[in-house]
Amino acid sequence: MNYLKITFIGLLALATTSCQSKTRETKNTPITTEASAQDLSSYESAYFASGCFWCVEAIFESVKGVKEVISGYSGGKEKNPTYEAVGYGRTTHAEAVKVYYNPKEVSFETLVKVYFGSHDPTTVDGQRPDMGKQYRSIAFYKDDREKKIIEAYMAKLKNDKVYNKPLATEVTKFEIFYDAEDYHQDYEKKHPDNSYIKGVSVPRLKKFQSKFPELIKKNSH
């Protein structure tokens, strides 16, 4: 969102309903998440961006076969970006997630299905209420196989006329992923009373879960 163009009153209102609500809470905090304390080397990884990473992380973590999801930044050229810089649109990065998954339990094809089925890929530069290049839709691929899977699924969506507008999702070669600050990890789980979580993240998560009940882990919140 272009925060330079909104009024002070508008900024106060957004503070309770935006993924930007805790920008100044912590800077450059080392990652101490559960993922950093476990060996994830045996898992495959996939990368996606589709709006506020608090929402996207919670969605993928509810999927069978997904071991861990890390919130972070990708798709840009700046080194070691911070939440404040990315969130205020001062970099070319987008909020993104790194998904660790067991390919014996869930395929990359299914993760792509989850990705497109959990946001509006026709929205240019954002997922409301979070708008701006930092919230754009990006499906990252690590090799030609993944690229073909993503492009084939997008072609299917187009051929099936699932949307009445063109897809805005960028299909981008993965380069690098920067972990977000520690307090962003598992944000939806740790802050259930946050107004953004209650008003945006949880409804988005529940909408996805109701759409694909067969993909959801047992006892997923």
Side-chain angles (χ1 to χ4, degrees), residues 1 34 41 44 56 65 80 106 114 121 126 157 162 198 201 203 211-212 221:
M1 188 174 293
E34 178 185 346
S41 61
E44 294 289 337
V56 187
N80 303 313
V106 62
V114 169
L157 291 174
V162 176
K198 292 193 294 185
S201 293
K211 189 175 181 180
F212 301 105
H221 71 293

Side-chain angles (χ1 to χ4, degrees), residues 47-66:
Y47 304 83
F48 302 99
S50 58
C52 176
F53 50 24
W54 296 344
C55 302
V56 187
E57 178 185 345
I59 287 168
F60 277 102
E61 284 192 335
S62 73
V63 175
K64 294 176 183 177
V66 172

Side-chain angles (χ1 to χ4, degrees), residues 1-16 88:
M1 188 174 293
N2 189 342
Y3 287 84
L4 296 179
K5 293 183 180 179
I6 61 177
T7 64
F8 178 69
I9 294 176
L11 182 58
L12 289 177
L14 276 172
T16 60
Y88 278 88

Side-chain angles (χ1 to χ4, degrees), residues 27-44:
K27 294 182 180 179
N28 300 322
T29 306
I31 297 297
T32 57
T33 61
E34 178 185 346
S36 64
Q38 59 184 325
D39 182 10
L40 297 170
S41 61
S42 62
Y43 293 88
E44 294 289 337

Side-chain angles (χ1 to χ4, degrees), residues 60-77:
F60 277 102
E61 284 192 335
S62 73
V63 175
K64 294 176 183 177
V66 172
K67 177 63 175 179
E68 184 64 64
V69 183
I70 304 298
S71 288
Y73 317 108
S74 193
K77 59 185 179 180

Side-chain angles (χ1 to χ4, degrees), residues 78-90:
E78 295 82 7
K79 295 181 178 179
N80 303 313
T82 65
Y83 182 55
E84 183 171 358
V86 175
Y88 278 88
R90 297 169 185 161

Side-chain angles (χ1 to χ4, degrees), residues 58 61-62 188-189 202 205-206 209 216-217 219-221:
E61 284 192 335
S62 73
E188 186 264 347
K189 291 180 182 178
V202 171
L205 173 62
K206 296 304 181 184
Q209 291 177 334
I216 308 305
K217 296 173 182 175
N219 302 319
S220 180
H221 71 293

